[in-house]
């Protein structure tokens, strides 16, 4: 199973450095997720809940570290190759400068997050998690693109890791983990009911409770 995790994680570490200079949104959105989706779907089918969560979490860390580094090195390429990266950067810079924007207004922020959460549940349930992972990759991608931009434009006296951690606030980290738990619960729920009826069902209550709490 370690080899399966490596299959999911190693491409996430390498591909952003190759794809961002190509400035192709489609390639960046799809290619890094495919190895994870393959491993993840097999783990869901085998009801290996812990390993499925671990694979998704490790992938999220790997793709974040790599995308932030590549975005800091190729800032212009990142804004063109990562979906919504430029728009999200402008939104966050405006919020930091003025306090205006969804990040500081729950009336704007919460509906969007709840819609994304519902999409993760629905897509994961009908695709063994694969479609939800693609959506999660898009959401994670533009966040990491913004963080890479912050690293590239921060004060040279500030260590890049400190700039990255400042740009990645803890509530965003909690949201990523929450979505992973929710997607795994939905995939485990949908697989024996929609895609392969009659297979044993796995418990999902703790996943959902942890997801909602986060």
């Amino acid at each position: 199973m370690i080899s399966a995790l490596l299959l999911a994680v190693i491409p996430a570490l390498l591909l952003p450095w190759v794809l961002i200079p190509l400035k192709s949104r489609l390639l960046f959105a799809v290619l890094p997720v495919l190895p994870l989706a393959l491993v993840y779907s097999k783990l869901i089918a085998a009801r290996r809940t812990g390993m499925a969560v671990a694979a998704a979490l490790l992938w999220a860390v790997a793709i974040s570290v790599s995308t932030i580094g590549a975005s800091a090195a190729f800032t212009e390429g990142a804004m063109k190759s990562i979906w919504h990266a430029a728009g999200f950067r402008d939104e966050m810079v405006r919020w930091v400068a003025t306090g205006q924007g969804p990040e500081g207004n729950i009336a704007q922020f919460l509906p969007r997050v709840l819609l994304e959460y519902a999409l993760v549940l629905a897509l994961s349930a009908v695709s063994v998690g694969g479609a939800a992972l693609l959506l999660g990759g898009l959401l994670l991608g533009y966040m990491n693109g913004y963080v890479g931009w912050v690293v590239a434009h921060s004060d040279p006296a500030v260590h890049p890791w400190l700039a990255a951690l400042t740009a990645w606030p803890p509530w965003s980290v909690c949201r990523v983990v929450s979505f992973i738990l929710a997607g795994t619960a939905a995939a485990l729920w949908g697989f024996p009911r929609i895609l392969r009826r009659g297979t044993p069902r796995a418990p999902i209550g703790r996943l959902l409770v942890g997801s909602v709490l986060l």
Side-chain angles (χ1 to χ4, degrees), residues 95 99-109:
W95 172 65
Q100 303 298 314
E103 201 75 12
N105 186 337
I106 195 169
Q108 298 179 42
F109 172 78

XYZ file of all heavy atoms in Angstrom, residues 95 99-109:
92
model
N -9.090 42.252 -0.036
C -9.540 42.016 1.342
C -8.464 42.428 2.351
O -8.753 43.087 3.361
C -9.904 40.544 1.530
C -10.184 40.183 2.952
C -11.214 40.644 3.724
C -9.415 39.310 3.785
N -11.138 40.101 4.993
C -10.036 39.277 5.054
C -8.264 38.552 3.580
C -9.541 38.517 6.105
C -7.780 37.779 4.625
C -8.417 37.774 5.878
N -10.321 45.151 3.839
C -11.278 44.436 4.686
C -12.566 44.089 3.971
O -13.469 43.490 4.564
N -12.666 44.432 2.700
C -13.861 44.165 1.909
C -13.682 42.882 1.096
O -12.636 42.666 0.499
C -14.140 45.333 0.959
C -14.304 46.673 1.662
C -15.489 46.686 2.622
O -16.575 46.228 2.276
N -15.277 47.208 3.814
N -14.725 42.048 1.088
C -14.657 40.834 0.293
C -15.202 39.636 1.040
O -15.452 39.690 2.252
N -15.401 38.518 0.356
C -16.013 37.340 0.975
C -15.251 36.811 2.188
O -15.865 36.290 3.116
C -16.008 36.306 -0.169
C -15.976 37.119 -1.413
C -15.166 38.331 -1.082
N -13.929 36.932 2.176
C -13.138 36.370 3.276
C -13.480 37.027 4.613
O -13.315 36.414 5.669
C -11.641 36.534 2.984
C -10.757 35.582 3.765
C -10.778 34.161 3.243
O -11.294 33.941 2.139
O -10.256 33.280 3.937
N -13.969 38.252 4.573
C -14.308 38.944 5.811
C -15.791 39.197 5.982
O -16.190 39.968 6.853
N -16.612 38.560 5.148
C -18.063 38.777 5.195
C -18.751 37.425 5.111
O -18.821 36.820 4.050
C -18.501 39.673 4.038
C -19.969 40.052 4.123
O -20.765 39.367 4.760
N -20.326 41.157 3.478
N -19.268 36.934 6.237
C -19.842 35.592 6.264
C -21.060 35.468 5.368
O -21.358 34.390 4.845
C -20.186 35.189 7.722
C -20.431 33.676 7.795
C -21.376 35.986 8.245
C -20.504 33.151 9.207
N -21.779 36.572 5.142
C -22.946 36.529 4.259
C -22.534 36.207 2.825
O -23.302 35.618 2.065
C -23.689 37.857 4.311
N -21.315 36.584 2.426
C -20.804 36.243 1.101
C -20.054 34.917 1.116
O -20.118 34.140 0.161
C -19.849 37.344 0.604
C -20.481 38.708 0.433
C -19.462 39.733 -0.044
O -18.634 39.461 -0.902
N -19.513 40.930 0.532
N -19.372 34.669 2.213
C -18.465 33.528 2.294
C -19.204 32.209 2.502
O -18.942 31.214 1.813
C -17.485 33.768 3.447
C -16.597 32.605 3.776
C -15.488 32.329 2.985
C -16.855 31.784 4.862
C -14.655 31.270 3.284
C -16.027 30.728 5.169
C -14.932 30.467 4.368
